[in-house]
Amino acid sequence: MIFDKIKLGYGYSDLEPHIDALTLETHYGKHLQTYANNLNNILEGHEDLVKGKALEEVLSDLEAIPEDIRQGVINQGGGVSNHNFYFSILSPNAKKEPSGKLLEAINKKFGSLDAMKEKLNSVTVGVFGSGWGWLVLDENGELEIISTKDQNSPYSLNKKPLITIDVWEHAYYLKYKNVRPEYVKNIWNVIDWAKIEEIYEGYIK
Ligand code: MN3
C-alpha cells in the first residue's frame, strides 16, 4: 500500500463507554480500511505522482492530480487522512485540558477553553449530512474552527488540523443513534490534549 491506515494506539474496547468497541472496530477496521483500499486502487499506475509525498502533501496540492482521478483522491485520500488524524488524537488516558502555549492561544482567540469547545461542538453538531468539525491552524498561524463536508481535508484549504470530530453517522450511530450532540459532548473524554499540544508545538516551532 502506498498510503495505509495508522496503527491504533489502543484496543477496540479501550475508549468505552464514550466510543463503544463495535463502533470503533467497524469504523477503523472496515470504513477506514475501505478508504485505504480504494485510494490505493485509484493511485495504481499513478505512483510517480505521489512518490515520496505524505498523503497530506498530496491533499495540499490537488491541482497536481489529474482531473480524472482528482475527485477520487479527494474522497478516498481525505477519508484516509481525516480518519488517521481522528484516531491519532483519541486515547483512553487522555489529558483532559490543554496547558502552556496552546492554552494561551485558545484563551486569546476564543476567550476560554470552554468557549472554544462550545463553538467547536456547535459547528460540528451543525454539519448537515456527513462531515467533520475541526480546530485548525489557518494559513496565518491563527486558530480557527471550521467544518468540512464529506471527506474534504483541511489540508486542501491550506489549514492544518489540531482537533477533529467525525460526524458521519458510522462514527456514532450504533451507540448514540440520532443523538449527535451527545456523541460530540462525550468524545471530549477521550480527546487527548497531550497529543494536540505536541502537534501544535510541531506547527509553531
Ligand atoms: Mn468516519
Side-chain angles (χ1 to χ4, degrees), residues 2-3 49-58 61 64-65:
I2 308 174
F3 297 118
L49 274 177
V50 297
K51 205 174 172 193
K53 285 187 177 174
L55 178 53
E56 288 65 34
E57 289 177 76
V58 174
D61 187 18
I65 304 297

Side-chain angles (χ1 to χ4, degrees), residues 12-180:
Y12 291 141
S13 60
D14 290 349
L15 304 182
E16 297 257 13
H18 312 293
I19 309 273
D20 63 287
L22 183 57
T23 294
L24 186 53
E25 184 176 1
T26 312
H27 198 181
Y28 172 81
K30 300 284 199 296
H31 289 274
L32 174 51
Q33 187 64 56
T34 301
Y35 286 114
N37 294 346
N38 289 346
L39 176 62
N40 285 281
N41 287 339
I42 287 169
L43 291 174
E44 222 167 89
H46 296 279
E47 289 82 358
D48 51 316
L49 274 177
V50 297
K51 205 174 172 193
K53 285 187 177 174
L55 178 53
E56 288 65 34
E57 289 177 76
V58 174
L59 294 167
S60 301
D61 187 18
L62 292 168
E63 292 292 308
I65 304 297
E67 253 179 80
D68 60 324
I69 61 165
R70 190 179 298 154
Q71 192 59 48
V73 169
I74 292 170
N75 294 346
Q76 310 300 333
V80 173
S81 172
N82 293 347
H83 283 101
N84 280 348
F85 189 81
Y86 172 79
F87 290 122
S88 80
I89 62 164
L90 303 179
S91 168
N93 309 306
K95 183 182 176 188
K96 292 292 191 288
E97 288 190 5
S99 53
K101 281 182 189 164
L102 178 56
L103 180 60
E104 278 170 40
I106 288 170
N107 286 337
K108 187 164 163 249
K109 181 76 185 186
F110 301 100
S112 69
L113 176 63
D114 282 346
M116 187 284 289
K117 286 167 74 171
E118 204 172 299
K119 186 169 182 202
L120 179 50
N121 285 1
S122 152
V123 164
T124 304
V125 169
V127 169
F128 184 75
S130 298
W132 301 74
W134 303 88
L135 177 70
V136 297
L137 213 55
D138 74 10
E139 49 278 45
N140 304 313
E142 291 271 323
L143 293 177
E144 187 185 8
I145 287 170
I146 63 166
S147 64
T148 59
K149 287 283 293 165
D150 302 325
Q151 294 297 356
N152 293 344
S153 164
Y155 285 102
S156 306
L157 305 168
N158 204 14
K159 299 173 198 294
K160 297 177 193 158
L162 285 162
I163 295 177
T164 193
I165 303 176
D166 183 349
V167 283
W168 284 59
E169 282 185 343
H170 65 233
Y172 62 88
Y173 198 85
L174 293 177
K175 177 179 173 70
Y176 295 96
K177 302 296 185 287
N178 58 311
V179 193
R180 184 188 278 184

